[in-house]
Amino acid sequence: MITIKRIINRCRHLNLPSHGGTLFSYPLTTLSSISIDSNIPQNELEIRIRSLCEKPNCQLTEAIALFDHAIISGPKPSASTCNFLIETLAKSREYNLSLSVYNRMTHMKLLPSYRSLSALVECFLNTQNLEFAFGVIGLIVKRGFTVNLFVWNLILKSLCQDRQVTLAILLFRDMGKNQISPDVITYNTLINGLCKEKKLEEALELRTEMIRLNCCPNMVTYATLMNGLCKIGEVDKAIYLFDEMLKKGLDADVVIYSTLINGLCSCGDVGKAKELFNEMLEKGISPNVVTYTSLIHGFCNSCCWQEVTGMLSAMVERGIRPDFVTYTSLIDGLCKDERFTQALDVLGLMIERGQEPSTVTYNILINGLCKAGKVSDAFEVLGKMTEKRKFPDVMTYNALMKGFCSIGKVDGAVELLNGMIKGTYDVEPDSMTYNMLIQGLCNQGRLDEAESFYWKMAERGNLCNLVTYNVLIGAHLKARDVDKAMDLWKEVHDLGLVPNAFTYSIMINGLCKMRMVDTAKELLFEMKSRGLSPTLFDYNSLIASFCKNRNLDLAQQLFEEMRDEDCEPDVISYNILINGMLKAEDLQTAKELLADMVQRGLAPDMITLSTLINRFSKLGQMDEAKSLFKCMISRGFSPDAVVYDSLLNMYSENGETEEIISLLHQMAVKGVVLDKEIISTILNCLCRDSDNPELMELLPTFSSQASKQKNISCNELLRRLDRFHPGLQVQAD
């Protein structure tokens, strides 16, 4: 357990910098116009030093020069003067000069006062020498002084700024054991440190503790907590604190309103943000550029362009100039809505009004254009960027590479990365750069080239990460090169990388497609043993593989495991298992699965109904097939040729001529385009009853419909019927 006592004991014998040391050794200051008589009385010398430190015409440099000269030539300054200089310089934030005076003081064997020692703590903290600060605390205790709250607040602040908030909390707890009562500054310091570390629960607990100990939170406390909560998306909690603050009689300022407005806009609640904005106007609180920028960004993300225009006009009316963030937010919103012409106009306006776009601004435009596939336009922006001497960074080139890959022009991405490697663009590629190109090459089946960049990546010290291996493993499994995929899987473990849920999903799905279902199942169990949760996709892949291999018991077992793991089956899960049961002619289980599906609130989709109709039709279950077909129609689904083919075959086998004619009428109305299989089915159905003299009158008149590829229209079907059976005298339009 770290305590104040242990830290002091550890540091009290620490050698602080002394005169002549390298850390705080400074040359004697030139006296310039100041002259000094070695016979001048000491009290007059000290009066002159103090007068030089007086405001408003403070001349600290001259005071130090006089001090240094007195040390060399005499008379020696007193301890009082040394202490005065240490404190004065520390207050003026001349920390290194203050430490220099301390060095000279110790050289003269003069003891610093308590106030000087406290000032030294501040000096060491502000020059990032925490151990020396603790050493001074040890010296304070050794001299018999008590370390006051002001000094401890400085220590806690420094620890929090140094991202050592855990140590700060430990010291804070030990303060109470040493009868040091914290004040609101102490709590605010710790709350701010915790918020910066995103430890909001601990920060909120400190606020509760404050209230319990009658240390009232002030506006800074609430503002800090609200800002921290908004940054992690907990805007509702921030609003609750805002209401609490107002009830306590504390007034909100523009900073607090802007914080909440920004948080609400970031969460997409622009309406509530606008309400708060109107509220602050009613209270006479003037919005600033941050307030307007937050609202503009929120309205941009919601594509409320009329509101955006209104906010910009209001800004101008109030004399508030849009800044770099305002323009960049506006450009970002326009790009997300693919309003690239307007985004470019805003860029021009930004430059015209003296707000120089940064690399970030240009990157937003380039990235937006590349996402929309406008890579050539993105290169034009790149040209403007370099003209303005804003040099592209790795994010710029990553966006361009992603753009090339998204439109299938991977060679352009290859050229860019090669240029980066050769130093043409003076930008070093990162892991994301390589991964994007490797993904692009794998998508085109260019695995050899992808692997060559994988080796280049390693040669240049860009460590291959899990993303790299996920892409390569997936690509090799897709290419049915399971040996290479397994080698990469082993390499992941050898390098100490920990496969994530996505890595396991890639392996499980790939192995299932290659009928290596046992290995895939082992990986599923390994995945769960590592605390990773398989997804529906993983379970469905395995269940489908078991069904294809006729391992229905294992498929059902896995189906039940899904529920036990709180991974509820979806429509696809049911469709896979129902289809497997129907192929095995287990109609009862298929019906039970359908009933269970409906009971769980999952509506059968087109695939569910088609699968059942096709299978029931083939098995001669006419009533079930008809019922399901009616259900399909009532749900607004359009049966495809496969469903009609199954039903026609079933009706033909049972001699249901009227049903066949009715179905043909429906097909004619829906304009079903037929393939060779259903053409054959229809011909067989009609030929069986070709001697029926009333058949010609019962057949529908089909309108012509264009055929697609190997499909032919119903009209063409009738021509064929007429050619085979001219006695039917079929009419074709």
Side-chain angles (χ1 to χ4, degrees):
M1 178 70 178
I2 297 175
T3 63
I4 295 175
K5 189 174 180 180
R6 286 183 62 185
I7 290 174
I8 290 171
N9 287 337
R10 190 181 68 185
C11 297
R12 65 169 35 169
H13 300 298
L14 188 67
N15 291 322
L16 299 179
S18 61
H19 183 69
T22 56
L23 187 57
F24 296 108
S25 179
Y26 297 91
L28 295 179
T29 314
T30 304
L31 279 175
S32 66
S33 60
I34 292 182
S35 60
I36 183 169
D37 182 356
S38 59
N39 295 318
I40 185 174
Q42 188 183 48
N43 64 336
E44 188 176 330
L45 170 73
E46 294 183 350
I47 289 170
R48 289 179 66 182
I49 289 173
R50 289 172 183 266
S51 66
L52 287 168
C53 295
E54 289 179 358
K55 295 180 180 181
N57 300 315
C58 191
Q59 301 177 59
L60 294 177
T61 305
E62 305 292 0
I64 293 296
L66 189 57
F67 174 78
D68 285 339
H69 194 83
I71 291 173
I72 296 169
S73 306
K76 296 288 189 293
S78 66
S80 174
T81 300
C82 293
N83 286 325
F84 168 78
L85 273 175
I86 289 171
E87 294 171 42
T88 302
L89 290 166
K91 285 178 182 176
S92 301
R93 299 186 180 180
E94 296 287 352
Y95 303 118
N96 288 331
L97 286 176
S98 183
L99 291 168
S100 179
V101 172
Y102 168 73
N103 288 340
R104 283 149 174 75
M105 187 179 185
T106 55
H107 184 74
M108 293 186 290
K109 302 190 184 308
L110 298 173
L111 291 175
S113 67
Y114 173 76
R115 290 177 63 178
S116 291
L117 290 171
S118 297
L120 285 173
V121 173
E122 185 176 1
C123 290
F124 281 125
L125 292 175
N126 282 285
T127 52
Q128 282 76 52
N129 286 282
L130 186 60
E131 282 209 44
F132 284 134
F134 279 122
V136 175
I137 290 175
L139 187 56
I140 290 172
V141 175
K142 190 176 181 181
R143 292 275 304 278
F145 298 125
T146 302
V147 183
N148 65 17
L149 183 59
F150 173 76
V151 173
W152 282 119
N153 282 345
L154 288 176
I155 291 281
L156 294 175
K157 181 181 179 183
S158 182
L159 286 170
C160 290
Q161 287 176 341
D162 199 36
R163 305 186 79 85
Q164 297 188 61
V165 69
T166 303
L167 177 56
I169 294 292
L170 288 171
L171 288 178
F172 166 71
R173 293 303 173 201
D174 206 53
M175 282 169 58
K177 295 175 186 176
N178 287 270
Q179 283 74 52
I180 303 170
S181 298
D183 62 3
V184 70
I185 295 172
T186 316
Y187 280 107
N188 286 350
T189 299
L190 293 170
I191 286 171
N192 186 48
L194 289 166
C195 287
K196 285 183 177 177
E197 293 293 309
K198 296 185 179 179
K199 297 180 177 180
L200 270 299
E201 288 302 320
E202 292 177 54
L204 289 166
E205 285 171 12
L206 277 182
R207 163 187 149 275
T208 304
E209 181 181 311
M210 287 177 76
I211 296 169
R212 190 177 68 249
L213 297 175
N214 294 320
C215 180
C216 297
N218 60 14
M219 192 172 74
V220 174
T221 318
Y222 284 105
T224 305
L225 285 167
M226 283 185 269
N227 184 51
L229 288 165
C230 286
K231 282 184 176 177
I232 64 167
E234 297 278 2
V235 186
D236 289 341
K237 289 182 181 178
I239 295 291
Y240 175 82
L241 287 179
F242 175 70
D243 293 337
E244 180 185 286
M245 184 187 79
L246 296 179
K247 287 176 184 176
K248 287 180 179 290
L250 295 170
D251 292 325
D253 61 5
V254 65
V255 174
I256 290 176
Y257 273 106
S258 296
T259 298
L260 292 173
I261 287 168
N262 185 56
L264 287 164
C265 288
S266 297
C267 292
D269 194 350
V270 193
K272 178 65 176 174
K274 185 69 182 294
E275 286 177 19
L276 272 183
F277 177 74
N278 292 333
E279 181 182 306
M280 69 181 288
L281 291 179
E282 288 171 7
K283 289 184 176 181
I285 301 170
S286 298
N288 59 21
V289 68
V290 176
T291 324
Y292 280 111
T293 299
S294 299
L295 280 164
I296 286 168
H297 188 63
F299 285 126
C300 283
N301 288 338
S302 302
C303 298
C304 300
W305 300 110
Q306 190 173 349
E307 292 280 5
V308 171
T309 305
M311 282 294 156
L312 286 169
S313 300
M315 278 184 84
V316 174
E317 287 174 10
R318 286 182 174 269
I320 301 171
R321 291 184 62 187
D323 63 5
F324 156 77
V325 181
T326 316
Y327 285 114
T328 303
S329 296
L330 186 52
I331 289 168
D332 182 43
L334 289 165
C335 286
K336 285 175 179 174
D337 200 31
E338 298 192 4
R339 295 173 175 246
F340 298 112
T341 304
Q342 292 95 322
L344 288 166
D345 290 341
V346 172
L347 182 72
L349 181 64
M350 186 177 181
I351 296 167
E352 182 185 312
R353 294 191 175 177
Q355 290 288 343
E356 194 66 29
S358 69
T359 300
V360 173
T361 315
Y362 285 108
N363 283 352
I364 287 170
L365 253 174
I366 290 169
N367 187 52
L369 288 163
C370 287
K371 277 186 175 179
K374 298 177 179 290
V375 182
S376 57
D377 293 335
F379 270 96
E380 286 183 21
V381 174
L382 179 67
K384 291 179 182 179
M385 182 179 182
T386 52
E387 281 174 17
K388 292 288 183 182
R389 302 189 66 78
K390 295 294 177 187
F391 299 106
D393 57 13
V394 68
M395 299 298 292
T396 318
Y397 287 103
N398 285 353
L400 291 166
M401 289 185 67
K402 190 174 182 180
F404 273 130
C405 292
S406 68
I407 61 174
K409 295 185 177 180
V410 183
D411 289 331
V414 170
E415 188 179 333
L416 274 179
L417 182 51
N418 282 331
M420 293 170 80
I421 292 170
K422 293 173 185 175
T424 307
Y425 304 120
D426 197 29
V427 174
E428 187 67 25
D430 61 11
S431 297
M432 187 181 290
T433 321
Y434 285 101
N435 287 341
M436 278 194 294
L437 182 57
I438 289 168
Q439 176 77 72
L441 290 165
C442 287
N443 288 345
Q444 291 194 349
R446 296 158 65 174
L447 289 185
D448 291 340
E449 290 177 73
E451 292 216 330
S452 72
F453 279 103
Y454 158 74
W455 289 113
K456 283 181 184 179
M457 185 179 183
E459 287 167 10
R460 292 179 66 84
N462 290 89
L463 296 177
C464 300
N465 54 27
L466 201 55
V467 175
T468 321
Y469 285 103
N470 285 348
V471 171
L472 288 170
I473 289 170
H476 281 292
L477 286 171
K478 187 177 180 181
R480 307 190 71 77
D481 187 351
V482 70
D483 291 336
K484 182 62 180 176
M486 295 305 287
D487 287 343
L488 288 167
W489 173 256
K490 183 177 180 298
E491 195 173 314
V492 167
H493 291 83
D494 291 343
L495 289 172
L497 296 173
V498 181
N500 58 18
F502 188 55
T503 320
Y504 279 101
S505 288
I506 291 167
M507 288 290 292
I508 290 167
N509 184 53
L511 291 169
C512 284
K513 286 182 177 177
M514 298 182 70
R515 300 294 179 92
M516 298 177 67
V517 67
D518 291 335
T519 308
K521 189 181 179 184
E522 286 175 13
L523 283 177
L524 183 80
F525 291 142
E526 180 184 313
M527 181 183 186
K528 290 196 285 188
S529 70
R530 289 179 178 269
L532 299 172
S533 299
T535 63
L536 266 171
F537 180 74
D538 303 324
Y539 281 113
N540 287 345
S541 295
L542 273 166
I543 291 169
S545 293
F546 283 132
C547 287
K548 284 177 184 176
N549 292 345
R550 301 283 177 150
N551 292 327
L552 296 179
D553 290 339
L554 287 174
Q556 277 188 292
Q557 182 183 331
L558 201 60
F559 187 80
E560 293 303 323
E561 278 182 23
M562 289 173 69
R563 293 172 173 171
D564 295 338
E565 297 290 335
D566 291 327
C567 183
E568 284 297 320
D570 63 356
V571 174
I572 295 170
S573 314
Y574 278 100
N575 287 348
I576 292 167
L577 201 53
I578 287 170
N579 188 47
M581 294 301 169
L582 289 172
K583 283 184 177 179
E585 298 189 10
D586 187 350
L587 303 186
Q588 184 59 36
T589 303
K591 289 177 182 179
E592 288 172 2
L593 283 167
L594 179 62
D596 184 55
M597 180 182 179
V598 173
Q599 187 179 351
R600 289 179 178 271
L602 294 173
D605 64 4
M606 178 69 181
I607 294 172
T608 319
L609 296 170
S610 296
T611 302
L612 288 163
I613 290 167
N614 295 339
R615 187 57 55 182
F616 281 133
S617 297
K618 286 177 182 177
L619 294 173
Q621 302 280 328
M622 190 180 298
D623 291 338
E624 284 86 349
K626 281 183 178 182
S627 175
L628 288 165
F629 182 69
K630 288 178 182 177
C631 178
M632 178 182 280
I633 300 299
S634 68
R635 288 178 179 269
F637 294 125
S638 296
D640 58 13
V642 177
V643 172
Y644 283 116
D645 184 82
S646 299
L647 290 169
L648 286 168
N649 272 313
M650 180 183 70
Y651 291 144
S652 180
E653 288 291 330
N654 289 277
E656 299 281 346
T657 304
E658 289 183 9
E659 296 286 0
I660 292 171
I661 298 300
S662 174
L663 212 56
L664 287 174
H665 274 276
Q666 288 184 39
M667 292 167 65
V669 170
K670 291 183 179 293
V672 177
V673 177
L674 312 172
D675 56 24
K676 289 184 177 180
E677 186 175 344
I678 197 169
I679 290 169
S680 176
T681 298
I682 294 172
L683 288 172
N684 287 335
C685 290
L686 295 177
C687 289
R688 282 188 179 187
D689 204 20
S690 60
D691 294 333
N692 187 343
E694 298 178 358
L695 186 62
M696 181 186 68
E697 297 175 6
L698 298 173
L699 284 173
T701 299
F702 292 90
S703 60
S704 62
Q705 182 176 337
S707 64
K708 295 181 180 180
Q709 297 177 352
K710 294 182 180 179
N711 296 337
I712 66 169
S713 67
C714 294
N715 199 44
E716 176 63 20
L717 171 65
L718 291 179
R719 290 195 184 95
R720 292 191 185 191
L721 283 173
D722 187 55
R723 191 162 61 248
F724 288 126
H725 298 279
L728 290 174
Q729 298 182 6
V730 178
Q731 181 182 357
D733 290 344

